[in-house]
Amino acid sequence: MKKNIIIFACLIMSLDALTQTKSKIWFDGKARAIYNRDVLTDNHLENDTVSSLHQSSGYTALDLGVHFNPNDNVEVFSEVRFRNNFEGFWGQDNFVELRRLSLKSVISDGLSIELGDIFLKQSKFTLYNYESEIYERASFVGLRAYDDLINSENLYYKNFWRMHAFKANMKLDFYNYIDAISLDFFTSRIKGQQWLGNPELLMTGFTTNAIIQNDFQLQFNFNNSFEMKSTSLQSEIIRNPIFSFIFLFKKKINGFNLKLNNEVGKSSLFWENSLLSSKLEDYFNSFNVVLKNKFLKFNTTALFVGPDYRSLGAQTKRINFNSAPSAYRYIGNIQKLRPISFYDILSDPQIYNQNLSPLMMDHNVKYEPISPFGDATPNRIGIKNIISYNHNNFVYLNSKLNFYSEIIGQGTNEKRNFSYASASATIQLDKITNLKNSNLKISYDQSKVDRSGNDYEQINLTTNLLSYCFNVEFFKKTSFNFSGFNYIAKGNEFGTIRNDYTEILSFSEIIMDSNENIYSLGLQYDFNKKTYFNIQYNFTNNTNNINSDEDLQFNRILFVFNIDF
């Protein structure tokens, strides 16, 4: 407590000193007050006499961003969090922490640098922060309060990773065949040195992009993750160099905008001084065609990713399925650790990961049966198609149809086949009714995985997700929301068990027959586009027909007051 007061006082004195100068200083940030109370239902309590009936948690937090410009070419940015948990007594459970600190400078025309906590991204196969597969499937009817909470707490910005890094950007303009050439270089510290443990892990890379007469672009990406041998007594040192070429062509043809994008690349993963690991090398090829006008959009991608393709920056997952959920972590009379559920994925920021992983992270085939690592999922060949239609901003239709197969079988010569189909619609009801700012959204998708062969080889897994949402503004700035999710997973699959060198050691059969239902009723008052008060009532019902110890039914009431400034 005393330490927090000292830090806060020092911050105030520093800001006061800065404002006395001729330098420019300005603020932005986010403030949030959140409180939730969870209550187990009577149906759950019939088989669970140990778990507490009620649980609650909440906090108030201020993320204060300070921008200091000593001159027009330099900016120092810091983001400090002040947080007070509701469980604390007389301020005993509060803290102050530095969330971000960075320095940005424009050295000359066309040359700038940035150092500190910054956001980095390259291509989908080299450095990319994919959304969870199940979260992406359900985000069509996402709950805004939970979306804001997860992204804010984990510092997610679009598909960028927040990293401790140095970045330099240079741009040169030309006048003949080449319009411009840009170069982005970065080096980042992924993992620090550990006492008598693993060595320091760094990532360095660059992207160069050449724009040729606006229609044609060439891009080269290089990315290398490596451990510093001198920072540890450990002899095995990881190396993961990756490169890719991107060919991009844009053209307007008969009222349609045509975009062709072809990316090819290769990865290598090996451990120096290791007698147990083998060098893994493989390549990928992705060819994307987008054709769109005011009403229609066609998006088709042909994809090949080799079985041994490894990319630390693109195959790190957001969700850590080895973590424990926040709500009712232990359930049942034997107080068994509860696995992560669909509701946790939508609402719990504590299960999400903020750091790149040097190893392939575990995934749950129940929720991510096809592409657990996004487009960078290894051992996949196939095609994915998206068709979108916009009718005068009144009806939005979207459909997806994807087909994949394995390139080589895992543990057998038989190969898995994957299919995914979805359809969604959004209707702006305020266009045809007197209901202001009202809309109806509904989506349905199905994922299937199958493999033929002998009884011990066969796989047959089907998942279905139905999502729907209704919004209406019944008073000025006050809206009502109803959302529902119904998720069914049934069949069998084989999970992979990998060693420390990402190689598959064995398999474990997973049999599924579960049904998860989530319903939400909410009221929201919008002070403006960035400030709102939200109150909602959630009901979740998880039924596992294979293992009833994992059944869970509880209700939640949630209060969120969110301010962005």
Side-chain angles (χ1 to χ4, degrees):
M1 177 63 180
K2 185 180 295 184
K3 181 181 178 181
N4 291 342
I5 294 176
I6 294 174
I7 295 175
F8 180 73
C10 292
L11 178 65
I12 296 300
M13 288 188 292
S14 300
L15 295 179
D16 181 68
L18 290 173
T19 54
Q20 301 298 321
T21 69
K22 295 182 180 180
S23 304
K24 299 178 182 178
I25 183 168
W26 54 282
F27 305 90
D28 62 5
K30 177 189 290 286
R32 179 189 300 113
I34 182 170
Y35 176 80
N36 65 269
R37 175 168 286 275
D38 301 332
V39 182
L40 290 174
T41 65
D42 293 337
N43 290 335
H44 180 88
L45 292 173
E46 290 178 359
N47 301 312
D48 185 353
T49 60
V50 177
S51 299
S52 59
L53 176 62
H54 293 265
Q55 288 187 0
S56 65
S57 64
Y59 63 87
T60 55
L62 169 64
D63 297 329
L64 180 63
V66 182
H67 301 257
F68 172 50
N69 301 101
N71 56 59
D72 293 338
N73 296 325
V74 175
E75 178 181 271
V76 180
F77 169 73
S78 67
E79 183 179 89
V80 181
R81 163 162 289 193
F82 304 89
R83 172 165 166 164
N84 179 35
N85 295 326
F86 289 160
E87 294 86 351
F89 182 74
W90 292 101
Q92 293 301 312
D93 198 13
N94 58 45
F95 61 87
V96 179
E97 67 176 0
L98 181 65
R99 299 192 79 201
R100 294 173 58 200
L101 180 64
S102 64
L103 170 66
K104 183 187 299 183
S105 176
V106 178
I107 298 177
S108 63
D109 290 341
L111 178 61
S112 64
I113 62 172
E114 194 171 357
L115 175 66
D117 300 303
I118 59 180
F119 292 95
L120 294 175
K121 183 183 75 168
Q122 287 185 306
S123 76
K124 289 185 175 182
F125 299 90
T126 55
L127 180 60
Y128 199 82
N129 187 0
Y130 285 95
E131 287 188 349
S132 163
E133 184 177 345
I134 188 65
Y135 191 90
E136 185 178 3
R137 291 165 66 184
S139 62
F140 175 76
V141 198
L143 304 175
R144 178 183 174 186
Y146 284 132
D147 290 344
D148 290 346
L149 179 64
I150 291 172
N151 291 329
S152 175
E153 290 299 302
N154 293 282
L155 294 171
Y156 292 152
Y157 172 68
K158 296 182 179 179
N159 298 109
F160 290 78
W161 282 107
R162 193 288 301 262
M163 303 173 69
H164 304 289
F166 167 80
K167 178 183 177 182
N169 172 266
M170 181 177 66
K171 184 178 180 180
L172 300 174
D173 294 321
F174 296 88
Y175 301 98
N176 294 321
Y177 297 103
I178 300 177
D179 292 338
I181 294 179
S182 63
L183 174 65
D184 287 304
F185 167 82
F186 73 90
T187 182
S188 172
R189 187 172 185 246
I190 299 175
K191 183 181 63 179
Q193 180 181 0
Q194 299 178 1
W195 175 251
L196 296 179
N198 295 327
E200 189 174 5
L201 178 61
L202 306 179
M203 174 186 286
T204 186
F206 66 88
T207 297
T208 180
N209 188 53
I211 302 176
I212 304 174
Q213 297 181 347
N214 290 323
D215 295 335
F216 187 49
Q217 293 185 35
L218 294 175
Q219 185 178 111
F220 177 74
N221 297 293
F222 176 78
N223 186 318
N224 184 26
S225 302
F226 58 95
E227 290 176 326
M228 298 290 292
K229 183 178 181 181
S230 60
T231 61
S232 174
L233 298 177
Q234 180 176 299
S235 60
E236 294 185 354
I237 303 298
I238 192 173
R239 297 285 188 266
N240 184 208
I242 309 163
F243 70 85
S244 76
F245 293 93
I246 297 179
F247 309 89
L248 179 64
F249 176 77
K250 298 179 181 178
K251 194 72 174 180
K252 193 166 186 177
I253 303 174
N254 297 327
F256 280 87
N257 293 317
L258 174 65
K259 180 180 177 181
L260 305 178
N261 187 318
N262 183 212
E263 181 175 7
V264 296
K266 183 180 180 181
S267 75
S268 178
L269 177 66
F270 59 95
W271 279 259
E272 290 185 355
N273 307 317
S274 174
L275 300 177
L276 300 176
S277 67
S278 58
K279 187 175 184 179
L280 301 178
E281 288 186 321
D282 223 320
Y283 69 97
F284 72 89
N285 192 342
S286 173
F287 185 77
N288 174 251
V289 179
V290 178
L291 187 65
K292 66 178 182 179
N293 63 9
K294 184 178 180 181
F295 304 101
L296 279 171
K297 181 179 179 180
F298 302 92
N299 189 332
T300 298
T301 302
L303 186 66
F304 176 97
V305 184
D308 290 330
Y309 183 78
R310 298 291 186 268
S311 173
L312 185 153
Q315 292 173 340
T316 294
K317 297 178 58 57
R318 285 192 178 187
I319 296 178
N320 179 9
F321 280 101
N322 293 323
S323 61
S326 300
Y328 292 106
R329 182 169 298 176
Y330 297 94
I331 58 174
N333 290 330
I334 62 174
Q335 289 295 280
K336 179 182 178 181
L337 180 63
R338 179 172 67 85
I340 291 173
S341 68
F342 187 15
Y343 185 73
D344 299 316
I345 294 173
L346 291 180
S347 64
D348 189 355
Q350 301 301 318
I351 65 173
Y352 283 80
N353 169 55
Q354 301 175 20
N355 302 309
L356 295 180
S357 172
L359 302 177
M360 296 191 74
M361 298 175 64
D362 292 335
H363 69 278
N364 191 334
V365 295
K366 176 180 177 181
Y367 301 115
E368 300 175 323
I370 298 179
S371 301
F373 304 99
D375 286 354
T377 300
N379 200 20
R380 295 289 187 272
I381 183 172
I383 188 170
K384 59 180 184 178
N385 306 279
I386 305 174
I387 302 177
S388 304
Y389 173 71
N390 177 5
H391 181 69
N392 298 325
N393 296 323
F394 165 53
V395 176
Y396 302 85
L397 302 177
N398 185 277
S399 65
K400 298 180 181 180
L401 190 62
N402 305 341
F403 297 99
Y404 298 99
S405 70
E406 290 183 318
I407 299 171
I408 62 172
Q410 291 185 335
T412 173
N413 291 326
E414 300 290 340
K415 302 175 185 178
R416 288 179 177 88
N417 295 305
F418 309 90
S419 64
Y420 173 78
S422 74
S424 63
T426 301
I427 303 174
Q428 295 298 132
L429 298 176
D430 49 11
K431 300 287 186 179
I432 56 175
T433 67
N434 294 325
L435 300 175
K436 187 178 180 181
N437 294 327
S438 61
N439 57 70
L440 175 65
K441 304 177 182 180
I442 186 169
S443 69
Y444 175 80
D445 68 59
Q446 182 183 82
S447 297
K448 298 193 70 173
V449 184
D450 65 81
R451 186 173 70 186
S452 58
N454 297 319
D455 292 342
Y456 62 88
E457 296 175 299
Q458 292 179 6
I459 293 175
N460 187 4
L461 173 64
T462 302
T463 69
N464 297 279
L465 174 62
L466 175 65
S467 307
Y468 40 91
C469 179
F470 172 68
N471 292 282
V472 60
E473 182 178 321
F474 59 93
F475 289 123
K476 185 177 181 181
K477 298 184 178 181
T478 304
S479 58
F480 166 80
N481 170 276
F482 170 73
S483 299
F485 305 90
N486 308 105
Y487 187 73
I488 299 174
K490 188 171 184 178
N492 75 302
E493 240 288 18
F494 287 89
T496 57
I497 300 174
R498 298 178 182 268
N499 61 17
D500 292 338
Y501 306 107
T502 76
E503 299 168 324
I504 298 176
L505 292 179
S506 60
F507 305 88
S508 60
E509 186 175 15
I510 304 170
I511 301 176
M512 288 166 273
D513 186 2
S514 64
N515 192 340
E516 300 183 47
N517 300 301
I518 303 170
Y519 305 101
S520 174
L521 292 170
L523 292 174
Q524 180 164 307
Y525 181 81
D526 293 291
F527 296 90
N528 53 51
K529 291 183 178 180
K530 296 184 177 181
T531 302
Y532 62 86
F533 175 76
N534 181 280
I535 178 174
Q536 55 182 268
Y537 176 82
N538 303 157
F539 170 75
T540 179
N541 179 10
N542 300 341
T543 302
N544 190 327
N545 297 317
I546 303 297
N547 184 2
S548 60
D549 290 339
E550 296 181 0
D551 290 356
L552 178 66
Q553 300 89 30
F554 73 91
N555 304 327
R556 167 178 291 180
I557 185 167
L558 174 73
F559 301 88
V560 178
F561 186 24
N562 187 86
I563 303 172
D564 287 3
F565 58 93

